[in-house]
Amino acid sequence: MLDQGAPPFKRTPSAPPSPGLGARLMRRKPVERLVAEGGQGEGGSLRRSLGLWQLTMISIGATLGTGIFVVLGEAVPKAGPAVTLSFVIAGLTALFSALSYAELAGTIPVSGSSYSYAYATMGELIAWICGWCLVLEYGVSVAAVAVGWGEYLNELLHGTIGVTIPDALSAPPGQGGIFNLPALIVVLLAMAFLLGGARESARANTVMVCVKIAALVLFCAIGVQGFRSGNYAHFMPLGMAGVSAAGATLFFSYIGFDAASTAGEEAKNAQRDLPRAIMLSLVIVTALYVLVAAVAVGAKPWRRFNDSEAALAQIMREVTGQTFWGTLLAACAVIAIASVVLTVLYGQTRILFAMSRDGLVPKVFSKVHPRTGTPRANTVIVSLFCGVLAAAIPLGQLADATSIGTLFAFALVNIAVVVLRRTRPRMHRTFRVPLSPVLPALGFGFCVWMMGSLSAVTWVVFGAWMAVGLVVYFGYGHRRSRLAAPEVK
């Protein structure tokens, strides 16, 4: 018989079921949360001190110089005189992606660039893959450009004091060297500027950008005197395959606007200025690239571009018959390429800052120094890694690895802009991609096509990098993600 005085039985409410693995991998970070966390780090906040001019200079600084001063000597043997067409194709591919970047940068003005855009639209796993590609893109790009800086430094030393740094200390292993000391030095110099603060680094970059533009204009003015129309007689000797292969190699020269988008949390008016800086810088850079490449091939037969990373200085010397102009260009290139290292290294640290704040990489990368407002530990760690990489790996392998990481990230951005249009159609946008989704689809298609032009070895390296990234994500980031915190209650 039941006890009439006993309290009625109460059912304990069951805990909500834990999300499955698929749901956890697809969890998205709300745009409002991304924007609200902007600038916040461990122990301090980033400072908003950059205007349109500084953002444009960061974008140009990260872009202008890489393809012209460094990789032209590698691209010309692949495409012949049609290397000018390779620059146009790479620039067109970049333009489609830049339009998508401009819309997302004005809508989600944060430091994570395409990583953050993917997190808001396609979920955590895709965001991690994108961020891991950006680590490859930025980190390897810094190293690739630093290698070319050493070549121009030797040109400068030879033209001024008649000595050069021995190959053992100025070339990477496999190319007659033991350790590329100049490449390490330029990365450490860039690190010193970044530790001083974003505004101070932007000022130094602006000066260097003005120097590099002046140097390229000077090259065109002198190089055109040696122009021979016969050098264009066989415009496309290696066919369209050579043009696309050269374009894929050159594409990493166009990551400047991506670097500008990483400054979203340090811009005074990011939603207004970021889209403008991205588009303005891309137009300026593409025009200069095509002009300088056309003059260079016109002044020197394409078969004589023998993988030299200091091709422009050599052309100046050959055209004038004097060492002075080549030495002057080498001096400008030393300054110009240093600005690429500075701005791309800046972008790398800010992407890791955003990933760390989300819990996907260790907290040390999001610690902000209270006095300078910069992620100091992050900057030192990234700089040392990139410096050692630059000192030990040949340029060609670095450039192609950068290209495939860049193209993959850009392809995801073109998808993200379409997804956000569908999921958040009423969100305020300071810039809208025209003819969407047609242009984003073209941007995606161009990226995939250019990725297919890269060598099998580059794909193997990329696949290995992705495999390592997935191991890191499932071993660390997946469990420590800040979006996972509510599920662990």
Side-chain angles (χ1 to χ4, degrees):
M1 186 173 180
L2 293 174
D3 182 2
Q4 298 296 325
F9 175 75
K10 290 187 179 180
R11 207 170 220 188
T12 304
S14 59
S18 177
L21 177 62
R24 294 197 301 273
L25 297 180
M26 294 298 293
R27 55 195 175 204
R28 302 177 183 179
K29 189 170 183 179
V31 173
E32 292 76 11
R33 181 171 172 180
L34 278 166
V35 176
E37 291 179 355
Q40 298 177 18
E42 293 286 330
S45 300
L46 302 177
R47 296 174 182 172
R48 294 193 176 274
S49 58
L50 306 177
L52 175 61
W53 173 252
Q54 289 90 348
L55 292 171
T56 304
M57 289 299 103
I58 287 174
S59 185
I60 295 176
T63 310
L64 187 58
T66 312
I68 287 296
F69 285 109
V70 178
V71 189
L72 185 64
E74 288 214 357
V76 172
K78 295 180 179 180
V83 71
T84 52
L85 184 57
S86 299
F87 271 114
V88 172
I89 292 174
L92 187 62
T93 304
L95 175 62
F96 289 135
S97 297
L99 291 170
S100 296
Y101 263 98
E103 176 170 329
L104 292 173
T107 309
I108 313 174
V110 293
S111 289
S113 185
S114 51
Y115 155 76
S116 294
Y117 309 152
Y119 213 164
T121 57
M122 292 178 280
E124 186 172 283
L125 178 60
I126 301 298
W128 169 265
I129 292 173
C130 186
W132 194 247
C133 281
L134 291 175
V135 171
L136 177 68
E137 170 191 335
Y138 278 86
V140 177
S141 178
V142 168
V145 179
V147 171
W149 185 83
E151 294 286 333
Y152 275 99
L153 180 62
N154 260 340
E155 287 280 335
L156 177 60
L157 292 174
H158 178 71
T160 52
I161 59 178
V163 299
T164 58
I165 302 172
D167 287 347
L169 295 177
S170 62
Q175 294 187 353
I178 299 173
F179 195 78
N180 193 330
L181 184 60
L184 176 61
I185 289 174
V186 71
V187 175
L188 295 181
L189 288 173
M191 178 187 75
F193 276 110
L194 290 176
L195 290 176
R199 183 171 58 183
E200 291 74 12
S201 300
R203 287 173 178 170
N205 174 66
T206 299
V207 173
M208 291 188 280
V209 167
C210 292
V211 169
K212 78 168 74 178
I213 291 176
L216 292 176
V217 171
L218 175 66
F219 170 81
C220 291
I222 294 178
V224 75
Q225 298 175 27
F227 192 92
R228 301 289 182 271
S229 59
N231 291 339
Y232 280 92
H234 302 285
F235 182 70
M236 201 181 293
L238 302 174
M240 198 62 199
V243 173
S244 62
T249 296
L250 292 168
F251 189 77
F252 93 111
S253 309
Y254 287 91
I255 68 171
F257 62 84
D258 185 79
S261 69
T262 65
E265 295 175 22
E266 290 162 286
K268 295 177 183 177
N269 191 338
Q271 289 185 308
R272 182 195 68 187
D273 292 339
L274 280 178
R276 296 179 181 180
I278 288 170
M279 300 310 300
L280 180 60
S281 63
L282 185 62
V283 169
I284 293 172
V285 165
T286 302
L288 279 170
Y289 274 168
V290 173
L291 179 61
V292 173
V295 171
V297 175
K300 183 175 183 176
W302 71 273
R303 293 184 184 276
R304 290 176 53 205
F305 282 80
N306 53 353
D307 291 349
S308 169
E309 283 84 34
L312 298 191
Q314 293 178 3
I315 291 172
M316 292 273 277
R317 188 170 59 248
E318 293 170 4
V319 168
T320 62
Q322 301 175 10
T323 61
F324 171 77
W325 295 108
T327 302
L328 178 61
L329 186 76
C332 294
V334 166
I335 297 172
I337 297 174
S339 77
V340 180
V341 175
L342 174 67
T343 49
V344 176
L345 191 63
Y346 167 85
Q348 172 72 97
T349 59
R350 270 45 180 187
I351 289 168
L352 285 172
F353 175 87
M355 295 177 73
S356 173
R357 186 172 56 203
D358 292 334
L360 301 185
V361 297
K363 289 184 178 180
V364 66
F365 290 101
S366 58
K367 288 184 177 179
V368 177
H369 192 273
R371 182 175 60 82
T372 61
T374 60
R376 276 196 166 185
N378 179 345
T379 302
V380 172
I381 294 170
V382 171
S383 299
L384 292 178
F385 172 79
C386 292
V388 172
L389 190 67
I393 305 295
L395 172 63
Q397 297 175 21
L398 291 172
D400 285 348
T402 303
S403 291
I404 196 167
T406 304
L407 287 163
F408 191 86
F410 284 9
L412 291 179
V413 169
N414 284 294
I415 296 174
V417 76
V418 175
V419 172
L420 194 62
R421 284 275 192 100
R422 293 184 178 275
T423 57
R424 302 291 298 273
R426 299 182 182 276
M427 180 174 290
H428 175 67
R429 291 167 170 83
T430 56
F431 177 86
R432 298 178 70 91
V433 179
L435 301 178
S436 180
V438 176
L439 292 188
L442 285 173
F444 176 82
F446 267 86
C447 289
V448 172
W449 173 56
M450 295 191 76
M451 287 176 72
S453 300
L454 293 169
S455 67
V457 174
T458 302
W459 275 97
V460 170
V461 172
F462 182 67
W465 178 258
M466 287 292 101
V468 172
L470 291 175
V471 171
V472 174
Y473 172 69
F474 285 106
Y476 182 93
H478 178 66
R479 294 181 293 106
R480 295 174 181 266
S481 167
R482 289 186 62 189
L483 287 189
E487 303 169 12
V488 187
K489 290 183 178 177

